[in-house]
Amino acid sequence: MVKTLSTLSLAQSGNSYGYHMMDGWGGWFMGPVMMLLVFGLLILGVVLVLRALGIGDGGRGNSSQDRALEILKERFARGEIDEEEFRNRRKHLWN
């Protein structure tokens, strides 16, 4: 019994961490890199979902409504519609 315990203690002595520092995906170096990559992908996913829902568009407002107003202004500038029709359609766009 004494011989077995002394053999076990000798087997466990020394630097056992030397080999394990470089195992897996690079050990100490790749761990933080992978963590940053995962967090970056999660943040990117949240941003894309919010933009798809129209939340957090940077204060640009409704882009389809803005485009419709631009078309209306172009038609008025070309003379396709008169001022009364321009004002009437613009009023309907904002409601």
Side-chain angles (χ1 to χ4, degrees):
M1 173 94 173
V2 173
K3 184 177 182 180
T4 308
L5 288 177
S6 65
T7 306
L8 286 176
S9 65
L10 286 175
Q12 293 179 357
S13 67
N15 295 340
S16 62
Y17 60 84
Y19 173 75
H20 297 290
M21 285 181 69
M22 298 305 287
D23 66 346
W25 285 68
W28 291 101
F29 176 72
M30 286 304 292
V33 171
M34 292 301 289
M35 183 177 64
L36 289 174
L37 181 66
V38 168
F39 283 146
L41 289 174
L42 285 173
I43 290 170
L44 178 65
V46 168
V47 168
L48 291 176
V49 166
L50 291 176
R51 282 191 179 176
L53 294 174
I55 301 170
D57 59 356
R60 289 186 300 244
N62 189 353
S63 61
S64 63
Q65 189 177 29
D66 292 342
R67 179 67 185 134
L69 185 59
E70 289 299 317
I71 293 171
L72 187 62
K73 287 178 182 179
E74 290 172 8
R75 289 186 64 198
F76 178 67
R78 285 192 301 255
E80 294 177 9
I81 57 175
D82 60 358
E83 187 175 353
E84 182 181 339
E85 187 173 355
F86 173 78
R87 287 183 183 177
N88 186 25
R89 289 181 186 231
R90 185 178 63 183
K91 183 178 78 174
H92 287 291
L93 279 176
W94 292 109
N95 290 333

